[in-house]
């Protein structure tokens, strides 16, 4: 009887470990195991952060922590290297035997010290993010805050992510965003323990990356004469030239910035559709070398696409060679979505090629295109990602599928033993309304609340265990037709991206919306200090809901 009572208590206690965090703790995404303990660790005036090894990445994590603590408290901690923590100090230790994987970490807070242990610096970085979220929210302040008791509630955390790929996407073609904003976006990705920034660099409305071998891509392809304003149905345009692109130096700077924060930047170079900005400068890669193709300022899907000519493959290989030099990412995204086949159907060249290659329709011709690109990318030791249309006409041997038109594409890929990243529109498209449209700035349409985003389960029961392993992660997509300024991007992205971050990190059994919402209330105060214009932020009142949206101030 006594034994069963003890067992019951043990079960209840362990259940509590995976349930709601009490008010002293508000970590997002929710850690897999958090044991709450009484007492606090008080930050001393002369705090030392000790790192266990002479390791550049480890040191960088300590530097980032020192920088943030220094900024908010006004007292920058010192950093030391050694096998023992300083008295009343913070200790980062690498332990290759740690069983929590490359991204996992253990965080112990006692009244005497804070210890973060991980097998890799990336795990230490995530341990550091959790530590910051255990501190008073003012630790996120950009200037020193007086009158705060800088203390950390005691606890033991063992934590690791559910999915290996936890991404956020940003379209910089429809609207262009500065390097500074991109860095802020990356900071916010890292804050939420997401590890991938999918940078949508090219589309019909603008080519945004300098390619040395093809200067017209930016000289012509990065500019447009006008842009749609207001609702799509109104078909109204401004008369303002619009443009922008990132130089290769700027790209390198962003990639290095992201690397320091353990964010991989996956570039997307769209083909064979969404390519008007290519054809504007290089029309010979399309249906007709004499055709004038503008960089369009209209939204949608267009019939002018790249043709599967040898010249086009040479072009793509040259472009991808420069892209792969700039981006060390394993994955290279080649788009592959929404490629109308009208021009291919009408082309003698395309029909002839299909006959020669034994391709039964234009979908197979698109597969032929994508397979050749896959072969090239794979030959360079990288892996290709494409939107789910690349399944049509047969999946290329090494492709990873990004499922956006619902979940079926991702599931079909998994059933074919291909990896898939889930970004279904109903749950992951952060360009939809998040409340009654009458109260909101214009969006593309649809409705996705934070609660719905939070409810997303990327692995349906219909997959076998082996197939389920091919669902490698989840991503929020941010298409910017209507997001004309950074504040508007932030408004649309947050807090829905915070919900998706927890979908990507926290086991399904530990997720609970009411508990998330309580932690989100605290987290919003952090976002306020980080000057993030999230939906519902107090600073929203400076943000007009009328079109055109002017700058906030
Ligand atoms: C997409 O939204 N066209 C991938």
């Amino acid at each position: 009887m006594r034994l069963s009572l003890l067992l019951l208590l043990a079960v209840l206690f362990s259940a509590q470990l995976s349930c709601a965090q009490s008010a002293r703790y508000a970590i997002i995404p929710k850690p897999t195991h958090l044991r709450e303990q009484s007492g606090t660790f008080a930050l001393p005036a002369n705090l030392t952060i000790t790192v266990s090894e002479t390791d550049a990445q480890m040191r960088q994590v300590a530097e980032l922590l020192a920088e943030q603590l220094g900024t908010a408290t006004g007292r920058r901690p010192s950093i030391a290297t050694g096998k023992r923590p300083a008295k009343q100090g913070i200790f980062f230790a690498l332990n290759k035997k740690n069983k929590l994987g490359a991204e996992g970490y253990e965080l112990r807070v006692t009244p005497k010290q804070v210890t973060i242990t991980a097998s890799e610096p990336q795990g230490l970085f995530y341990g550091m993010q959790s530590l910051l979220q255990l501190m008073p929210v003012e630790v996120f302040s950009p200037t020193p805050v007086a009158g705060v008791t800088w203390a950390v509630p005691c606890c033991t955390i063992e934590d690791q992510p559910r999915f290996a790929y936890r991404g956020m996407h940003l379209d910089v073609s429809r609207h262009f965003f500065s390097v500074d904003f991109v860095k802020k976006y990356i900071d916010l990705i890292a804050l939420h323990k997401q590890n991938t920034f999918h940078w949508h660099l090219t589309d019909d409305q603008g080519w945004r990356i300098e390619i040395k071998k093809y200067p017209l891509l930016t000289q012509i392809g990065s500019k447009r004469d006008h842009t749609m304003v207001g609702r799509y149905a109104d078909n109204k345009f401004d008369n303002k030239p619009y443009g922008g692109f990132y130089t290769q130096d700027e790209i390198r700077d962003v990639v290095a910035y992201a690397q320091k924060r353990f964010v991989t930047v996956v570039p997307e170079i769209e083909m064979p559709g969404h390519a008007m900005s290519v054809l504007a400068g290089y029309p010979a890669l399309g249906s007709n070398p004499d055709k004038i193709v503008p960089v369009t300022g209209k939204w949608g899907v267009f019939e002018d696409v790249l043709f599967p000519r040898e010249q086009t493959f040479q072009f793509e290989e040259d472009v991808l060679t420069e892209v792969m030099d700039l981006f060390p990412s394993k994955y290279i995204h080649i788009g592959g979505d929404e490629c109308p086949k009208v021009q291919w159907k009408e082309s003698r060249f395309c029909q002839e090629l299909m006959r020669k290659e034994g391709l039964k329709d234009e979908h197979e011709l698109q597969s032929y295109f994508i397979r050749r690109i896959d072969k090239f990318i794979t030959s360079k030791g990288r892996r290709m990602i494409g939107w789910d249309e690349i399944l049509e006409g047969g999946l290329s041997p090494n492709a990873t599928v990004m499922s956006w038109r619902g979940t079926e594409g991702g599931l079909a890929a998994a059933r074919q033993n291909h990896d898939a990243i889930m970004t279904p529109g109903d749950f992951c498209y952060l360009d939809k309304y998040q409340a009654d449209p009458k109260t909101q700035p214009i969006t593309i349409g649809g409705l996705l609340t934070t609660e719905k985003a939070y409810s997303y389960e990327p692995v349906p029961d219909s997959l076998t265990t082996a197939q389920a392993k091919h669902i490698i992660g989840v991503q929020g997509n941010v298409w910017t037709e209507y997001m004309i300024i950074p504040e508007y991007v932030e408004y649309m992205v947050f807090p829905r991206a915070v919900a998706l971050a927890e979908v990507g990190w926290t086991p399904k059994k530990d997720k609970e919306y009411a508990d998330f919402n309580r932690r989100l209330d605290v987290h919003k105060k952090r976002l306020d200090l980080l000057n993030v214009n999230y939906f519902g932020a107090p600073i929203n009142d400076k943000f007009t809901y009328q079109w055109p949206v002017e700058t906030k101030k």
Side-chain angles (χ1 to χ4, degrees), residues 335-552:
D337 59 321
E338 299 179 320
C339 178
K341 311 292 187 301
V342 183
Q343 292 184 340
W344 292 359
K345 275 197 170 81
E346 290 171 351
S347 151
R348 191 185 306 276
F349 166 78
C350 290
Q351 297 305 313
E352 195 72 6
L353 181 63
M354 284 163 58
R355 207 169 37 76
K356 211 170 88 208
E357 295 289 334
L359 307 169
K360 80 167 190 297
D361 59 20
E362 289 73 19
H363 292 300
E364 290 199 358
L365 184 56
Q366 161 139 342
S367 274
Y368 165 85
F369 192 118
I370 301 293
R371 269 173 215 268
R372 288 194 52 171
I373 300 298
D374 179 5
K375 198 167 166 202
F376 178 71
I377 290 175
T378 303
S379 77
K380 303 292 174 198
R382 309 293 185 95
R383 298 296 295 262
M384 185 190 80
I385 304 180
W387 298 110
D388 59 47
E389 284 91 334
I390 66 168
L391 282 150
E392 295 162 0
L395 196 48
S396 187
N398 308 299
T400 294
V401 172
M402 197 167 258
S403 192
W404 73 279
R405 296 175 302 175
T407 57
E408 199 38 56
L411 306 189
R415 288 191 198 102
Q416 294 178 46
N417 293 325
H418 282 247
D419 286 349
I421 298 157
M422 305 306 278
T423 69
D426 284 352
F427 296 94
C428 296
Y429 267 48
L430 309 186
D431 55 354
K432 292 176 189 275
Y433 285 106
Q434 46 201 330
D436 181 350
K438 288 200 279 301
T439 67
Q440 298 299 303
I442 297 169
T443 80
I444 198 161
L447 179 69
L448 172 62
T449 61
T450 300
E451 184 165 5
K452 183 164 181 194
Y454 190 78
S455 75
Y456 181 49
E457 170 44 44
V459 184
D461 293 339
S462 60
L463 291 184
T464 65
T465 310
Q467 290 164 351
K469 287 201 171 66
H470 286 294
I471 306 294
I472 61 168
V474 60
Q475 175 173 285
N477 288 345
V478 184
W479 302 102
T480 58
E481 286 92 339
Y482 300 89
M483 300 177 211
I484 65 174
I485 52 171
E487 288 87 344
Y488 197 169
V489 173
E490 293 172 6
Y491 181 86
M492 296 300 282
V493 169
F494 299 101
R496 293 185 290 192
V498 185
L500 289 179
E502 190 147 311
V503 172
W505 184 279
T506 306
K508 178 181 170 185
K509 67 175 176 37
D510 296 337
K511 281 172 62 219
E512 190 200 326
Y513 187 66
D515 171 55
F516 170 75
N517 224 0
R518 186 209 43 94
R519 285 177 285 121
L520 185 58
D521 280 345
V522 178
H523 197 66
K524 284 178 178 172
K525 297 193 182 106
R526 299 179 188 131
L527 296 178
D528 289 335
L529 288 158
L530 293 168
N531 195 28
V532 177
N533 186 49
Y534 59 87
F535 168 58
I539 50 177
N540 279 175
D541 58 5
K542 296 190 191 133
F543 181 71
T544 162
Y545 297 105
Q546 303 307 310
W547 187 270
V549 181
E550 300 294 350
T551 52
K552 213 174 59 183

Side-chain angles (χ1 to χ4, degrees), residues 174-295:
R174 276 51 178 260
H175 284 98
F176 180 72
F177 299 96
S178 69
V179 166
D180 280 349
F181 180 68
V182 169
K183 287 182 175 173
K184 182 178 182 186
Y185 198 74
I186 288 168
D187 281 337
L188 291 165
I189 288 173
L191 171 71
H192 297 103
K193 301 191 179 90
Q194 291 165 309
N195 61 8
T196 307
F197 170 44
H198 170 174
W199 206 356
H200 185 81
L201 286 162
T202 76
D203 215 303
D204 297 305
Q205 294 80 6
W207 181 280
R208 308 275 177 233
I209 170 174
E210 178 189 20
I211 299 295
K212 305 268 189 207
K213 197 157 185 178
Y214 297 95
L216 301 185
L217 286 172
T218 42
Q219 279 170 27
I220 294 176
S222 74
K223 299 172 189 158
R224 61 183 185 242
D225 293 341
H226 57 235
T227 300
M228 270 195 130
V229 286
R231 287 170 210 290
Y232 182 86
D234 296 344
N235 202 33
K236 286 213 181 88
F237 294 81
D238 65 14
N239 261 325
K240 297 183 200 154
Y242 186 92
F245 68 92
Y246 308 100
T247 65
Q248 294 203 346
D249 281 346
E250 287 173 324
I251 299 263
R252 276 189 210 95
D253 178 40
V254 167
V255 168
Y257 186 89
Q259 259 173 346
K260 259 193 174 177
R261 289 151 183 82
F262 300 92
V263 173
T264 301
V265 187
V266 174
E268 180 180 354
I269 305 296
E270 274 271 16
M271 62 187 85
H274 286 295
M276 288 172 79
S277 60
V278 176
L279 296 170
Y282 298 97
L285 304 180
S287 62
N288 172 356
D290 285 333
K291 183 161 185 185
I292 296 168
V293 181
V295 178

